[in-house]
Amino acid sequence: MKKRTWEPLGHLEAAVMDVVWARAPATAREVCDRMTGAEERAYTTIMTTMDRLHRKGLLDREKDGMAWRYTPALGKAEFEKALADGLAAGILQAHGEVALSAFVDATAEVDEGLLDQLAQLIAQRRKGRR
């Protein structure tokens, strides 16, 4: 079965998902009430964004009186992993060995210790295939 690929979230979508991940289940009104400062938006904007996230498969919903009550279809860490998997696969498919080399170089630039973690992950993956 093929893994589902996810697109990166827009700024408002990410802000809405952060609220739902932290406080699920939630209605659009509850999410709107929790968004303040730069994230504050009109209720109808939040409602539309949540409907769009539902259509994208990121939010599940059930009717609760006149409103929809939303829950995340997958956890934040699960979504981030799936997003990273898709992005990495796309880059590797498009650029092959060059991308792989760039990834290793970037890993070392960020933190040399990550190279050790990368080596461990590769060893675990190879062990799992046997």
Side-chain angles (χ1 to χ4, degrees), residues 14-58:
V16 167
M17 286 303 300
D18 282 341
V19 172
V20 178
W21 277 318
R23 307 229 184 207
T27 63
R29 171 56 58 202
E30 292 166 345
V31 170
C32 188
D33 289 348
R34 288 187 177 99
M35 296 181 77
T36 58
E39 303 302 331
E40 193 170 352
R41 295 287 197 284
Y43 167 74
T44 53
T45 302
I46 300 302
M47 189 172 57
T48 300
T49 300
M50 292 179 80
D51 181 62
R52 188 173 345 120
L53 289 165
H54 169 71
R55 284 185 276 124
K56 288 181 176 183
L58 284 167

Side-chain angles (χ1 to χ4, degrees), residues 64-124:
D64 184 9
M66 298 290 289
W68 290 106
R69 188 159 294 279
Y70 292 88
T71 56
L74 63 167
K76 184 174 184 172
E78 196 178 1
F79 172 73
E80 289 174 344
K81 171 81 167 80
L83 181 61
D85 286 348
L87 291 171
I91 291 168
L92 288 168
Q93 286 173 354
H95 305 286
E97 282 187 40
V98 172
L100 191 56
S101 177
F103 183 76
V104 171
D105 291 344
T107 301
E109 286 179 25
V110 170
D111 181 353
E112 281 284 332
L114 290 174
L115 283 176
D116 294 332
Q117 288 180 317
L118 182 59
Q120 288 174 352
L121 290 170
I122 291 168
Q124 288 172 355

